[in-house]
Amino acid sequence: MKAEIIAVGTELLLGQVVNTNATFLSEELAALGIDVYYHSVVGDNPERLSELLVTADKRSELIVLCGGLGPTEDDLTKQVTAQHVGQELVRDPAGYAQLEAFFKTRKGIMTENNLRQTLVFKDGIPLPNNNGLAVGIFYQDETHTYLLLPGPPSELKTMVLEQVNPLLKRAFPQKEQLISRVLRYYGIGESALAAELADLINEQTNPTIAPYAKPNEVTLRLTVKTSDPKQGIKQLDQLESVIQNRVGRFFYGYGEQNALVNVVVDLLKQKGKTVTAAESLTAGLFQSTLGTVPGVSEVFPGGFVTYSAAMKSKLLDIDPVLLTQHGTVSRACAEAMAVQARRAAGTDYAVSFTGVAGPEPLEGQPKGTVWIALASESGVTSDVYTFSRDRAYIRHSAVMAGLDLIRKELLR
Amino acid sequence: MKAEIIAVGTELLLGQVVNTNATFLSEELAALGIDVYYHSVVGDNPERLSELLVTADKRSELIVLCGGLGPTEDDLTKQVTAQHVGQELVRDPAGYAQLEAFFKTRKGIMTENNLRQTLVFKDGIPLPNNNGLAVGIFYQDETHTYLLLPGPPSELKTMVLEQVNPLLKRAFPQKEQLISRVLRYYGIGESALAAELADLINEQTNPTIAPYAKPNEVTLRLTVKTSDPKQGIKQLDQLESVIQNRVGRFFYGYGEQNALVNVVVDLLKQKGKTVTAAESLTAGLFQSTLGTVPGVSEVFPGGFVTYSAAMKSKLLDIDPVLLTQHGTVSRACAEAMAVQARRAAGTDYAVSFTGVAGPEPLEGQPKGTVWIALASESGVTSDVYTFSRDRAYIRHSAVMAGLDLIRKELLR
């Protein structure tokens, strides 16, 4: 099964947007055992897209197009592909109903061009869009399968996970299946992890080991190709146990979507504990990260953003003398913030963050210096960290370190 | 001048790596006035790469290859391209000296395969690699220009900025240059904006108009191709004034990187005003967004995350009776949060957010219902919004609406 991915959009060719859709689709297709041999990007140009479809037909059986399903005149992926395969474009009733409902709640005027988004192939399968208005298309003729997907990544991802993957599984049942397991690590870099596992990575055939660096964490994807799922899972178990013997101390959880914050919130729920925070340089990013998890209210009532020194005193009742004596980027300040936040919020734990997000130094301390404290029933602990890179990365690094502190405390 | 970019690497086709090189190269080539018509990705496979070069020759004059210059057996971009253009591969003496020096300081053993990295075309221009060991190649024959660049982004970027750009400028002096201007809009969807400008977009030739949807906002990129920069800027001014006459009420700023929060922080600084926030469903995301801007401490001292009803009473001294009477997702609650946050923080403005992030309804109100209030010296105003999509999008939508409220208040 040979596949290729065609992304349509002049903004990609101008370098305004990164083609993350191709990456995501490639991962998903690989998991289904479908081999992707080409990616292409072409602009919003009917002739060039049309030519590319002719080329793609010659070399691939599955052709996945993304982008160009929107309402504007330059969105023409459906029109060009319909002509290429000789299909008539018709209105999808469900998509049209969704469009009408959308404009009713928004009290906006539904302009004519919006109808383009509801067009589908007469003999294709319409793919409803749960995060947008452009309906996708799954179409097969005797020789080829075409998939037309929306360009915005949030729309495309949901459509692929919820609708496309089951359709592809049914259309192209593989005798051998791929079984993957994602291991997540915090506190070790990608190259250090790869060095620890160098022999395993070099010798890998089946299962395979793919390390991948994300901001402030690394995942390892173990994938086995097998016709016997039970046997495959046993192989993964064996490989994982060898790996965890070497780097298990940095392991925090399984799964592509299972971020550190999800693990922390689950643990808090399991143990029936609550947490608050007092944030200076992170300015709410830690609490906002907690807020990404549905149902977090059970373990997180709220907290404090104390950016200025005055607010540290005002909201947390910290003695201004302490702040002038030690500075706000100090162990004393971090510990006072955590202790006082815990008291004020009445939670089991409180984390505090104070430091230098940059780009400029603060109180004579260099960019990246961050104090993090954790207060609990049994007292308060704190440590200083030196994070690198830019403002956004430093703030994110601090949040991840704070989450890991709570996780370790809950596992003690 | 037609160009295309070919990235070589199986890891790209497996979705393990995002093709950021194509994005970077596209931006650089656009700035040189070179039109990129295609991106392609192909695996570490000599036949498929060779076929792609034949296709590329037919449609492009400049062919930029990246990746596959490394030391391993599957790095074969140089070998395949050399054969394609009929060039002999020879050792680059400077590259070889660098390789020797590298292994001397590392005290490592220089294995034979490392020599592959120093191969160049007999009649090409070698491009030294200041961040790695693989030497790049610039080669021209009568009909085509080929560029072979290393895959690691840090190596590629430096090579492009320091060596490739000057070479391309000399090889393809452009009489005309591209001048771009990005206009940013909030509060109007991409399709509505496109509808308002449909005639302009349909008739566009030079300058061009490219709308692009980002989460909760739309940008318009106006680009003029001109040999007379002064005249070009005048053309952009004229086009912009026609556009702003129609949709200027949604316009908030210029520039690719100039997010709504930057505009708000700049305005606060200009007017010497300060702001705080009380956040329920957004749980710190509004304040954390303010925190992305360096120097925001001047206008933002900190604020409150009041996720639970108890914290709304505890931190903001809101009467629990009000909360039970009206519910927390209510005008009364939003207005009390804003008024009390402003009082407690002693700022000029306070914004509050209370609503239903989902996925479940809350207090009988559906997901996406959000009350936002703005308190100032002159009192408090509030409104209810109905945001769509998922939890993350609803929270982001609320933050953007809150930022826009302050912006409008500051511009009154």
mmCIF file of all heavy atoms in Angstrom, chain B residues 223-254:
data_model
loop_
_atom_site.group_PDB
_atom_site.id
_atom_site.type_symbol
_atom_site.label_atom_id
_atom_site.label_comp_id
_atom_site.label_asym_id
_atom_site.label_seq_id
_atom_site.Cartn_x
_atom_site.Cartn_y
_atom_site.Cartn_z
ATOM 1 N N THR B 223 1.272 41.839 -0.600
ATOM 2 C CA THR B 223 2.632 41.736 -1.133
ATOM 3 C C THR B 223 2.700 42.393 -2.500
ATOM 4 O O THR B 223 1.885 42.101 -3.384
ATOM 5 C CB THR B 223 3.048 40.259 -1.265
ATOM 6 O OG1 THR B 223 2.880 39.626 -0.003
ATOM 7 C CG2 THR B 223 4.502 40.135 -1.692
ATOM 8 N N VAL B 224 3.652 43.279 -2.645
ATOM 9 C CA VAL B 224 3.840 43.931 -3.944
ATOM 10 C C VAL B 224 5.200 43.543 -4.508
ATOM 11 O O VAL B 224 6.167 43.403 -3.757
ATOM 12 C CB VAL B 224 3.678 45.468 -3.813
ATOM 13 C CG1 VAL B 224 4.806 46.070 -2.986
ATOM 14 C CG2 VAL B 224 3.594 46.135 -5.179
ATOM 15 N N LYS B 225 5.240 43.307 -5.810
ATOM 16 C CA LYS B 225 6.492 43.025 -6.503
ATOM 17 C C LYS B 225 6.842 44.286 -7.273
ATOM 18 O O LYS B 225 6.038 44.753 -8.087
ATOM 19 C CB LYS B 225 6.279 41.842 -7.457
ATOM 20 C CG LYS B 225 7.545 41.187 -7.934
ATOM 21 C CD LYS B 225 7.252 39.855 -8.626
ATOM 22 C CE LYS B 225 8.490 38.974 -8.605
ATOM 23 N NZ LYS B 225 8.201 37.597 -8.971
ATOM 24 N N THR B 226 8.007 44.832 -7.014
ATOM 25 C CA THR B 226 8.305 46.139 -7.602
ATOM 26 C C THR B 226 9.799 46.327 -7.806
ATOM 27 O O THR B 226 10.611 45.733 -7.101
ATOM 28 C CB THR B 226 7.762 47.271 -6.695
ATOM 29 O OG1 THR B 226 8.001 48.526 -7.324
ATOM 30 C CG2 THR B 226 8.445 47.258 -5.330
ATOM 31 N N SER B 227 10.131 47.169 -8.771
ATOM 32 C CA SER B 227 11.533 47.532 -8.938
ATOM 33 C C SER B 227 11.798 48.894 -8.303
ATOM 34 O O SER B 227 12.922 49.359 -8.249
ATOM 35 C CB SER B 227 11.885 47.573 -10.431
ATOM 36 O OG SER B 227 10.966 48.414 -11.102
ATOM 37 N N ASP B 228 10.730 49.518 -7.804
ATOM 38 C CA ASP B 228 10.844 50.847 -7.201
ATOM 39 C C ASP B 228 10.189 50.788 -5.807
ATOM 40 O O ASP B 228 8.970 50.917 -5.683
ATOM 41 C CB ASP B 228 10.127 51.858 -8.103
ATOM 42 C CG ASP B 228 10.099 53.251 -7.478
ATOM 43 O OD1 ASP B 228 10.545 53.412 -6.322
ATOM 44 O OD2 ASP B 228 9.606 54.169 -8.157
ATOM 45 N N PRO B 229 10.994 50.593 -4.749
ATOM 46 C CA PRO B 229 10.434 50.405 -3.410
ATOM 47 C C PRO B 229 9.462 51.515 -3.000
ATOM 48 O O PRO B 229 8.429 51.242 -2.407
ATOM 49 C CB PRO B 229 11.670 50.402 -2.508
ATOM 50 C CG PRO B 229 12.797 49.994 -3.397
ATOM 51 C CD PRO B 229 12.462 50.508 -4.758
ATOM 52 N N LYS B 230 9.802 52.756 -3.326
ATOM 53 C CA LYS B 230 8.920 53.868 -2.946
ATOM 54 C C LYS B 230 7.541 53.702 -3.561
ATOM 55 O O LYS B 230 6.517 53.872 -2.914
ATOM 56 C CB LYS B 230 9.520 55.202 -3.419
ATOM 57 C CG LYS B 230 10.263 55.926 -2.317
ATOM 58 C CD LYS B 230 10.516 57.364 -2.729
ATOM 59 C CE LYS B 230 11.404 58.050 -1.699
ATOM 60 N NZ LYS B 230 12.076 59.218 -2.277
ATOM 61 N N GLN B 231 7.556 53.385 -4.864
ATOM 62 C CA GLN B 231 6.314 53.179 -5.597
ATOM 63 C C GLN B 231 5.559 51.977 -5.011
ATOM 64 O O GLN B 231 4.328 52.006 -4.856
ATOM 65 C CB GLN B 231 6.637 52.946 -7.087
ATOM 66 C CG GLN B 231 5.449 52.651 -7.967
ATOM 67 C CD GLN B 231 4.410 53.769 -7.923
ATOM 68 O OE1 GLN B 231 4.734 54.922 -7.645
ATOM 69 N NE2 GLN B 231 3.155 53.409 -8.169
ATOM 70 N N GLY B 232 6.292 50.924 -4.667
ATOM 71 C CA GLY B 232 5.685 49.721 -4.087
ATOM 72 C C GLY B 232 4.962 50.040 -2.794
ATOM 73 O O GLY B 232 3.834 49.589 -2.571
ATOM 74 N N ILE B 233 5.621 50.798 -1.937
ATOM 75 C CA ILE B 233 5.009 51.142 -0.649
ATOM 76 C C ILE B 233 3.756 51.990 -0.873
ATOM 77 O O ILE B 233 2.749 51.827 -0.188
ATOM 78 C CB ILE B 233 6.044 51.843 0.258
ATOM 79 C CG1 ILE B 233 7.033 50.773 0.758
ATOM 80 C CG2 ILE B 233 5.386 52.543 1.425
ATOM 81 C CD1 ILE B 233 8.284 51.317 1.379
ATOM 82 N N LYS B 234 3.812 52.867 -1.864
ATOM 83 C CA LYS B 234 2.625 53.663 -2.190
ATOM 84 C C LYS B 234 1.470 52.752 -2.625
ATOM 85 O O LYS B 234 0.325 52.947 -2.211
ATOM 86 C CB LYS B 234 2.971 54.667 -3.310
ATOM 87 C CG LYS B 234 2.078 55.904 -3.295
ATOM 88 C CD LYS B 234 2.387 56.853 -4.448
ATOM 89 C CE LYS B 234 3.402 57.920 -4.053
ATOM 90 N NZ LYS B 234 3.805 58.751 -5.225
ATOM 91 N N GLN B 235 1.795 51.749 -3.442
ATOM 92 C CA GLN B 235 0.745 50.811 -3.870
ATOM 93 C C GLN B 235 0.143 50.066 -2.675
ATOM 94 O O GLN B 235 -1.071 49.871 -2.605
ATOM 95 C CB GLN B 235 1.334 49.765 -4.843
ATOM 96 C CG GLN B 235 1.538 50.284 -6.252
ATOM 97 C CD GLN B 235 2.271 49.250 -7.097
ATOM 98 O OE1 GLN B 235 3.501 49.198 -7.106
ATOM 99 N NE2 GLN B 235 1.497 48.412 -7.798
ATOM 100 N N LEU B 236 1.005 49.656 -1.734
ATOM 101 C CA LEU B 236 0.498 48.975 -0.530
ATOM 102 C C LEU B 236 -0.380 49.917 0.287
ATOM 103 O O LEU B 236 -1.438 49.527 0.789
ATOM 104 C CB LEU B 236 1.660 48.459 0.327
ATOM 105 C CG LEU B 236 2.456 47.285 -0.226
ATOM 106 C CD1 LEU B 236 3.552 46.866 0.765
ATOM 107 C CD2 LEU B 236 1.553 46.087 -0.526
ATOM 108 N N ASP B 237 0.049 51.184 0.411
ATOM 109 C CA ASP B 237 -0.750 52.166 1.156
ATOM 110 C C ASP B 237 -2.142 52.299 0.556
ATOM 111 O O ASP B 237 -3.150 52.340 1.267
ATOM 112 C CB ASP B 237 -0.059 53.539 1.142
ATOM 113 C CG ASP B 237 1.174 53.575 2.039
ATOM 114 O OD1 ASP B 237 1.302 52.674 2.899
ATOM 115 O OD2 ASP B 237 2.003 54.484 1.869
ATOM 116 N N GLN B 238 -2.168 52.400 -0.792
ATOM 117 C CA GLN B 238 -3.458 52.578 -1.472
ATOM 118 C C GLN B 238 -4.362 51.374 -1.239
ATOM 119 O O GLN B 238 -5.543 51.516 -0.899
ATOM 120 C CB GLN B 238 -3.240 52.786 -2.973
ATOM 121 C CG GLN B 238 -2.789 54.199 -3.297
ATOM 122 C CD GLN B 238 -2.206 54.319 -4.698
ATOM 123 O OE1 GLN B 238 -2.066 53.327 -5.412
ATOM 124 N NE2 GLN B 238 -1.869 55.537 -5.095
ATOM 125 N N LEU B 239 -3.795 50.180 -1.430
ATOM 126 C CA LEU B 239 -4.594 48.966 -1.243
ATOM 127 C C LEU B 239 -5.073 48.863 0.202
ATOM 128 O O LEU B 239 -6.236 48.567 0.475
ATOM 129 C CB LEU B 239 -3.770 47.733 -1.619
ATOM 130 C CG LEU B 239 -4.455 46.387 -1.380
ATOM 131 C CD1 LEU B 239 -5.730 46.275 -2.200
ATOM 132 C CD2 LEU B 239 -3.509 45.234 -1.725
ATOM 133 N N GLU B 240 -4.172 49.144 1.140
ATOM 134 C CA GLU B 240 -4.563 49.056 2.546
ATOM 135 C C GLU B 240 -5.700 50.009 2.866
ATOM 136 O O GLU B 240 -6.630 49.657 3.591
ATOM 137 C CB GLU B 240 -3.382 49.332 3.478
ATOM 138 C CG GLU B 240 -3.785 49.137 4.935
ATOM 139 C CD GLU B 240 -2.748 49.558 5.963
ATOM 140 O OE1 GLU B 240 -1.549 49.585 5.630
ATOM 141 O OE2 GLU B 240 -3.158 49.850 7.103
ATOM 142 N N SER B 241 -5.654 51.197 2.280
ATOM 143 C CA SER B 241 -6.707 52.146 2.629
ATOM 144 C C SER B 241 -8.060 51.672 2.098
ATOM 145 O O SER B 241 -9.084 51.834 2.762
ATOM 146 C CB SER B 241 -6.313 53.564 2.184
ATOM 147 O OG SER B 241 -7.100 54.008 1.130
ATOM 148 N N VAL B 242 -8.086 51.059 0.923
ATOM 149 C CA VAL B 242 -9.344 50.483 0.415
ATOM 150 C C VAL B 242 -9.844 49.379 1.361
ATOM 151 O O VAL B 242 -11.021 49.314 1.721
ATOM 152 C CB VAL B 242 -9.149 49.906 -1.009
ATOM 153 C CG1 VAL B 242 -10.422 49.216 -1.487
ATOM 154 C CG2 VAL B 242 -8.721 50.996 -1.982
ATOM 155 N N ILE B 243 -8.913 48.527 1.784
ATOM 156 C CA ILE B 243 -9.273 47.415 2.679
ATOM 157 C C ILE B 243 -9.780 47.923 4.015
ATOM 158 O O ILE B 243 -10.824 47.494 4.519
ATOM 159 C CB ILE B 243 -8.061 46.473 2.874
ATOM 160 C CG1 ILE B 243 -7.739 45.743 1.566
ATOM 161 C CG2 ILE B 243 -8.305 45.489 4.012
ATOM 162 C CD1 ILE B 243 -6.452 44.942 1.588
ATOM 163 N N GLN B 244 -9.050 48.866 4.595
ATOM 164 C CA GLN B 244 -9.432 49.350 5.929
ATOM 165 C C GLN B 244 -10.766 50.085 5.909
ATOM 166 O O GLN B 244 -11.491 50.095 6.907
ATOM 167 C CB GLN B 244 -8.328 50.244 6.534
ATOM 168 C CG GLN B 244 -6.960 49.571 6.683
ATOM 169 C CD GLN B 244 -6.911 48.435 7.698
ATOM 170 O OE1 GLN B 244 -7.866 47.666 7.819
ATOM 171 N NE2 GLN B 244 -5.793 48.297 8.397
ATOM 172 N N ASN B 245 -11.097 50.708 4.776
ATOM 173 C CA ASN B 245 -12.409 51.336 4.661
ATOM 174 C C ASN B 245 -13.528 50.329 4.879
ATOM 175 O O ASN B 245 -14.595 50.671 5.353
ATOM 176 C CB ASN B 245 -12.582 51.965 3.270
ATOM 177 C CG ASN B 245 -12.215 53.432 3.304
ATOM 178 O OD1 ASN B 245 -12.300 54.068 4.356
ATOM 179 N ND2 ASN B 245 -11.790 53.960 2.164
ATOM 180 N N ARG B 246 -13.262 49.084 4.513
ATOM 181 C CA ARG B 246 -14.309 48.070 4.625
ATOM 182 C C ARG B 246 -14.256 47.298 5.940
ATOM 183 O O ARG B 246 -15.283 46.976 6.508
ATOM 184 C CB ARG B 246 -14.166 47.052 3.484
ATOM 185 C CG ARG B 246 -14.285 47.692 2.116
ATOM 186 C CD ARG B 246 -14.391 46.627 1.065
ATOM 187 N NE ARG B 246 -14.145 47.176 -0.257
ATOM 188 C CZ ARG B 246 -14.085 46.441 -1.355
ATOM 189 N NH1 ARG B 246 -14.243 45.116 -1.260
ATOM 190 N NH2 ARG B 246 -13.873 46.987 -2.524
ATOM 191 N N VAL B 247 -13.045 46.963 6.391
ATOM 192 C CA VAL B 247 -12.941 46.077 7.557
ATOM 193 C C VAL B 247 -12.052 46.651 8.659
ATOM 194 O O VAL B 247 -11.680 45.946 9.591
ATOM 195 C CB VAL B 247 -12.416 44.678 7.146
ATOM 196 C CG1 VAL B 247 -13.424 43.950 6.273
ATOM 197 C CG2 VAL B 247 -11.063 44.789 6.436
ATOM 198 N N GLY B 248 -11.752 47.959 8.543
ATOM 199 C CA GLY B 248 -10.838 48.592 9.497
ATOM 200 C C GLY B 248 -11.318 48.496 10.943
ATOM 201 O O GLY B 248 -10.511 48.538 11.869
ATOM 202 N N ARG B 249 -12.642 48.349 11.137
ATOM 203 C CA ARG B 249 -13.131 48.292 12.521
ATOM 204 C C ARG B 249 -12.671 47.019 13.238
ATOM 205 O O ARG B 249 -12.745 46.943 14.458
ATOM 206 C CB ARG B 249 -14.651 48.426 12.557
ATOM 207 C CG ARG B 249 -15.421 47.299 11.881
ATOM 208 C CD ARG B 249 -16.886 47.713 11.681
ATOM 209 N NE ARG B 249 -17.683 46.658 11.060
ATOM 210 C CZ ARG B 249 -17.671 46.361 9.754
ATOM 211 N NH1 ARG B 249 -16.890 47.026 8.928
ATOM 212 N NH2 ARG B 249 -18.442 45.408 9.281
ATOM 213 N N PHE B 250 -12.209 46.021 12.497
ATOM 214 C CA PHE B 250 -11.695 44.790 13.114
ATOM 215 C C PHE B 250 -10.167 44.763 13.185
ATOM 216 O O PHE B 250 -9.574 43.837 13.715
ATOM 217 C CB PHE B 250 -12.165 43.561 12.319
ATOM 218 C CG PHE B 250 -13.654 43.450 12.216
ATOM 219 C CD1 PHE B 250 -14.312 43.766 11.033
ATOM 220 C CD2 PHE B 250 -14.400 43.056 13.319
ATOM 221 C CE1 PHE B 250 -15.696 43.672 10.947
ATOM 222 C CE2 PHE B 250 -15.781 42.967 13.235
ATOM 223 C CZ PHE B 250 -16.433 43.277 12.049
ATOM 224 N N PHE B 251 -9.534 45.786 12.642
ATOM 225 C CA PHE B 251 -8.068 45.836 12.560
ATOM 226 C C PHE B 251 -7.469 46.181 13.913
ATOM 227 O O PHE B 251 -7.967 47.039 14.614
ATOM 228 C CB PHE B 251 -7.672 46.895 11.531
ATOM 229 C CG PHE B 251 -6.201 47.185 11.481
ATOM 230 C CD1 PHE B 251 -5.338 46.328 10.820
ATOM 231 C CD2 PHE B 251 -5.676 48.322 12.088
ATOM 232 C CE1 PHE B 251 -3.975 46.595 10.758
ATOM 233 C CE2 PHE B 251 -4.315 48.594 12.031
ATOM 234 C CZ PHE B 251 -3.469 47.728 11.365
ATOM 235 N N TYR B 252 -6.403 45.471 14.279
ATOM 236 C CA TYR B 252 -5.771 45.871 15.533
ATOM 237 C C TYR B 252 -4.272 46.073 15.453
ATOM 238 O O TYR B 252 -3.668 46.601 16.395
ATOM 239 C CB TYR B 252 -6.103 44.897 16.668
ATOM 240 C CG TYR B 252 -5.362 43.579 16.608
ATOM 241 C CD1 TYR B 252 -4.047 43.478 17.047
ATOM 242 C CD2 TYR B 252 -5.968 42.439 16.110
ATOM 243 C CE1 TYR B 252 -3.362 42.275 16.980
ATOM 244 C CE2 TYR B 252 -5.288 41.238 16.044
ATOM 245 C CZ TYR B 252 -3.989 41.165 16.477
ATOM 246 O OH TYR B 252 -3.312 39.991 16.413
ATOM 247 N N GLY B 253 -3.618 45.680 14.359
ATOM 248 C CA GLY B 253 -2.177 45.916 14.332
ATOM 249 C C GLY B 253 -1.493 45.326 13.112
ATOM 250 O O GLY B 253 -2.115 44.602 12.323
ATOM 251 N N TYR B 254 -0.219 45.667 12.965
ATOM 252 C CA TYR B 254 0.593 45.216 11.830
ATOM 253 C C TYR B 254 1.578 44.138 12.263
ATOM 254 O O TYR B 254 1.995 44.108 13.411
ATOM 255 C CB TYR B 254 1.414 46.384 11.282
ATOM 256 C CG TYR B 254 0.607 47.478 10.659
ATOM 257 C CD1 TYR B 254 0.322 48.642 11.378
ATOM 258 C CD2 TYR B 254 0.143 47.370 9.353
ATOM 259 C CE1 TYR B 254 -0.419 49.665 10.799
ATOM 260 C CE2 TYR B 254 -0.592 48.391 8.772
ATOM 261 C CZ TYR B 254 -0.877 49.533 9.498
ATOM 262 O OH TYR B 254 -1.607 50.537 8.935
#
